PDB file of all heavy atoms in Angstrom:
ATOM      1  N   TRP Z 229      27.489 -15.080  17.967  1.00  0.00           N
ATOM      2  CA  TRP Z 229      28.253 -15.580  16.816  1.00  0.00           C
ATOM      3  C   TRP Z 229      27.392 -16.282  15.769  1.00  0.00           C
ATOM      4  O   TRP Z 229      27.733 -16.224  14.578  1.00  0.00           O
ATOM      5  CB  TRP Z 229      29.385 -16.498  17.289  1.00  0.00           C
ATOM      6  CG  TRP Z 229      28.936 -17.816  17.887  1.00  0.00           C
ATOM      7  CD1 TRP Z 229      28.766 -18.097  19.201  1.00  0.00           C
ATOM      8  CD2 TRP Z 229      28.631 -19.000  17.162  1.00  0.00           C
ATOM      9  NE1 TRP Z 229      28.347 -19.402  19.372  1.00  0.00           N
ATOM     10  CE2 TRP Z 229      28.271 -19.982  18.126  1.00  0.00           C
ATOM     11  CE3 TRP Z 229      28.618 -19.357  15.824  1.00  0.00           C
ATOM     12  CZ2 TRP Z 229      27.902 -21.275  17.783  1.00  0.00           C
ATOM     13  CZ3 TRP Z 229      28.257 -20.646  15.475  1.00  0.00           C
ATOM     14  CH2 TRP Z 229      27.902 -21.587  16.443  1.00  0.00           C
ATOM     15  N   PRO Z 230      26.264 -16.954  16.141  1.00  0.00           N
ATOM     16  CA  PRO Z 230      25.435 -17.524  15.064  1.00  0.00           C
ATOM     17  C   PRO Z 230      24.917 -16.461  14.099  1.00  0.00           C
ATOM     18  O   PRO Z 230      24.867 -16.682  12.883  1.00  0.00           O
ATOM     19  CB  PRO Z 230      24.288 -18.190  15.828  1.00  0.00           C
ATOM     20  CG  PRO Z 230      24.851 -18.492  17.170  1.00  0.00           C
ATOM     21  CD  PRO Z 230      25.729 -17.329  17.467  1.00  0.00           C
ATOM     22  N   ARG Z 231      24.547 -15.302  14.636  1.00  0.00           N
ATOM     23  CA  ARG Z 231      24.056 -14.220  13.770  1.00  0.00           C
ATOM     24  C   ARG Z 231      25.175 -13.689  12.876  1.00  0.00           C
ATOM     25  O   ARG Z 231      24.982 -13.503  11.666  1.00  0.00           O
ATOM     26  CB  ARG Z 231      23.486 -13.095  14.632  1.00  0.00           C
ATOM     27  CG  ARG Z 231      22.999 -11.899  13.814  1.00  0.00           C
ATOM     28  CD  ARG Z 231      22.416 -10.815  14.708  1.00  0.00           C
ATOM     29  NE  ARG Z 231      22.020  -9.634  13.943  1.00  0.00           N
ATOM     30  CZ  ARG Z 231      20.877  -9.529  13.290  1.00  0.00           C
ATOM     31  NH1 ARG Z 231      20.010 -10.518  13.295  1.00  0.00           N
ATOM     32  NH2 ARG Z 231      20.595  -8.425  12.607  1.00  0.00           N
ATOM     33  N   LYS Z 232      26.355 -13.451  13.471  1.00  0.00           N
ATOM     34  CA  LYS Z 232      27.482 -12.930  12.691  1.00  0.00           C
ATOM     35  C   LYS Z 232      27.897 -13.918  11.606  1.00  0.00           C
ATOM     36  O   LYS Z 232      28.192 -13.534  10.474  1.00  0.00           O
ATOM     37  CB  LYS Z 232      28.656 -12.624  13.617  1.00  0.00           C
ATOM     38  CG  LYS Z 232      28.376 -11.501  14.605  1.00  0.00           C
ATOM     39  CD  LYS Z 232      29.559 -11.273  15.531  1.00  0.00           C
ATOM     40  CE  LYS Z 232      29.248 -10.160  16.541  1.00  0.00           C
ATOM     41  NZ  LYS Z 232      30.382  -9.948  17.485  1.00  0.00           N
ATOM     42  N   LEU Z 233      27.929 -15.200  11.964  1.00  0.00           N
ATOM     43  CA  LEU Z 233      28.302 -16.227  10.992  1.00  0.00           C
ATOM     44  C   LEU Z 233      27.272 -16.311   9.868  1.00  0.00           C
ATOM     45  O   LEU Z 233      27.638 -16.455   8.688  1.00  0.00           O
ATOM     46  CB  LEU Z 233      28.424 -17.584  11.698  1.00  0.00           C
ATOM     47  CG  LEU Z 233      28.826 -18.770  10.807  1.00  0.00           C
ATOM     48  CD1 LEU Z 233      30.199 -18.541  10.205  1.00  0.00           C
ATOM     49  CD2 LEU Z 233      28.809 -20.065  11.628  1.00  0.00           C
ATOM     50  N   ALA Z 234      25.986 -16.221  10.224  1.00  0.00           N
ATOM     51  CA  ALA Z 234      24.920 -16.301   9.215  1.00  0.00           C
ATOM     52  C   ALA Z 234      24.987 -15.112   8.246  1.00  0.00           C
ATOM     53  O   ALA Z 234      24.838 -15.284   7.036  1.00  0.00           O
ATOM     54  CB  ALA Z 234      23.561 -16.344   9.902  1.00  0.00           C
ATOM     55  N   ILE Z 235      25.225 -13.903   8.783  1.00  0.00           N
ATOM     56  CA  ILE Z 235      25.309 -12.711   7.922  1.00  0.00           C
ATOM     57  C   ILE Z 235      26.505 -12.809   6.986  1.00  0.00           C
ATOM     58  O   ILE Z 235      26.412 -12.541   5.781  1.00  0.00           O
ATOM     59  CB  ILE Z 235      25.390 -11.437   8.777  1.00  0.00           C
ATOM     60  CG1 ILE Z 235      24.057 -11.206   9.503  1.00  0.00           C
ATOM     61  CG2 ILE Z 235      25.751 -10.228   7.917  1.00  0.00           C
ATOM     62  CD1 ILE Z 235      24.092 -10.046  10.478  1.00  0.00           C
ATOM     63  N   THR Z 236      27.650 -13.224   7.533  1.00  0.00           N
ATOM     64  CA  THR Z 236      28.857 -13.363   6.707  1.00  0.00           C
ATOM     65  C   THR Z 236      28.671 -14.423   5.636  1.00  0.00           C
ATOM     66  O   THR Z 236      29.013 -14.220   4.458  1.00  0.00           O
ATOM     67  CB  THR Z 236      30.068 -13.723   7.591  1.00  0.00           C
ATOM     68  OG1 THR Z 236      30.239 -12.726   8.603  1.00  0.00           O
ATOM     69  CG2 THR Z 236      31.338 -13.814   6.753  1.00  0.00           C
ATOM     70  N   SER Z 237      28.102 -15.574   6.023  1.00  0.00           N
ATOM     71  CA  SER Z 237      27.902 -16.668   5.063  1.00  0.00           C
ATOM     72  C   SER Z 237      26.924 -16.276   3.964  1.00  0.00           C
ATOM     73  O   SER Z 237      27.163 -16.551   2.776  1.00  0.00           O
ATOM     74  CB  SER Z 237      27.396 -17.914   5.789  1.00  0.00           C
ATOM     75  OG  SER Z 237      28.309 -18.343   6.777  1.00  0.00           O
ATOM     76  N   SER Z 238      25.825 -15.629   4.352  1.00  0.00           N
ATOM     77  CA  SER Z 238      24.839 -15.231   3.346  1.00  0.00           C
ATOM     78  C   SER Z 238      25.422 -14.212   2.378  1.00  0.00           C
ATOM     79  O   SER Z 238      25.155 -14.256   1.169  1.00  0.00           O
ATOM     80  CB  SER Z 238      23.584 -14.661   4.020  1.00  0.00           C
ATOM     81  OG  SER Z 238      23.886 -13.469   4.726  1.00  0.00           O
ATOM     82  N   THR Z 239      26.252 -13.304   2.886  1.00  0.00           N
ATOM     83  CA  THR Z 239      26.892 -12.303   2.016  1.00  0.00           C
ATOM     84  C   THR Z 239      27.791 -12.977   0.994  1.00  0.00           C
ATOM     85  O   THR Z 239      27.760 -12.658  -0.206  1.00  0.00           O
ATOM     86  CB  THR Z 239      27.709 -11.299   2.849  1.00  0.00           C
ATOM     87  OG1 THR Z 239      26.849 -10.652   3.780  1.00  0.00           O
ATOM     88  CG2 THR Z 239      28.371 -10.275   1.951  1.00  0.00           C
ATOM     89  N   LEU Z 240      28.606 -13.936   1.453  1.00  0.00           N
ATOM     90  CA  LEU Z 240      29.536 -14.631   0.556  1.00  0.00           C
ATOM     91  C   LEU Z 240      28.795 -15.476  -0.474  1.00  0.00           C
ATOM     92  O   LEU Z 240      29.137 -15.478  -1.661  1.00  0.00           O
ATOM     93  CB  LEU Z 240      30.487 -15.509   1.379  1.00  0.00           C
ATOM     94  CG  LEU Z 240      31.475 -14.760   2.280  1.00  0.00           C
ATOM     95  CD1 LEU Z 240      32.270 -15.749   3.135  1.00  0.00           C
ATOM     96  CD2 LEU Z 240      32.417 -13.897   1.449  1.00  0.00           C
ATOM     97  N   ILE Z 241      27.755 -16.183  -0.034  1.00  0.00           N
ATOM     98  CA  ILE Z 241      27.007 -17.054  -0.944  1.00  0.00           C
ATOM     99  C   ILE Z 241      26.276 -16.237  -2.004  1.00  0.00           C
ATOM    100  O   ILE Z 241      26.322 -16.554  -3.197  1.00  0.00           O
ATOM    101  CB  ILE Z 241      26.006 -17.932  -0.153  1.00  0.00           C
ATOM    102  CG1 ILE Z 241      26.761 -18.928   0.727  1.00  0.00           C
ATOM    103  CG2 ILE Z 241      25.076 -18.678  -1.103  1.00  0.00           C
ATOM    104  CD1 ILE Z 241      25.882 -19.681   1.699  1.00  0.00           C
ATOM    105  N   LEU Z 242      25.608 -15.169  -1.568  1.00  0.00           N
ATOM    106  CA  LEU Z 242      24.865 -14.336  -2.512  1.00  0.00           C
ATOM    107  C   LEU Z 242      25.805 -13.602  -3.473  1.00  0.00           C
ATOM    108  O   LEU Z 242      25.488 -13.432  -4.653  1.00  0.00           O
ATOM    109  CB  LEU Z 242      24.002 -13.331  -1.758  1.00  0.00           C
ATOM    110  CG  LEU Z 242      22.909 -13.926  -0.870  1.00  0.00           C
ATOM    111  CD1 LEU Z 242      22.152 -12.827  -0.142  1.00  0.00           C
ATOM    112  CD2 LEU Z 242      21.956 -14.784  -1.671  1.00  0.00           C
TER     113      LEU Z 242
END
Side-chain angles (χ1 to χ4, degrees):
W229 68 264
R231 178 179 177 82
K232 295 178 181 178
L233 181 62
I235 292 174
T236 303
S237 301
S238 64
T239 301
L240 293 175
I241 293 171
L242 297 178

